[in-house]
Amino acid sequence: MSKFGFSFSLSRLLGIAQAKQRFARTTGIPTTKNGLQRKIGASILKMFLK
């Protein structure tokens, strides 16, 4: 829970979040679980509907 509109994130402080974003943008591979599932599901659908 954040207090007074302030939230703290260790991964943002250490630069992990920015590194993950940069990796995802350059490679086109999502780094989140939901993003990866969406990408795999879309490619499977594309295979079957071709």
Side-chain angles (χ1 to χ4, degrees), residues 5-6 10-11 13 15-16 19 22 24-25 27 29 33 36 39 43-44 46:
F6 177 76
L10 188 59
S11 68
L13 179 69
I16 295 170
R22 192 176 298 137
R25 282 193 193 120
T27 60
I29 301 169
K33 182 179 176 182
L36 197 57
K39 189 168 181 88
S43 64
I44 290 173
K46 190 184 277 188

Side-chain angles (χ1 to χ4, degrees), residues 11-28:
S11 68
R12 287 186 69 79
L13 179 69
L14 297 176
I16 295 170
Q18 185 180 12
K20 285 172 71 173
Q21 283 179 347
R22 192 176 298 137
F23 172 78
R25 282 193 193 120
T26 57
T27 60

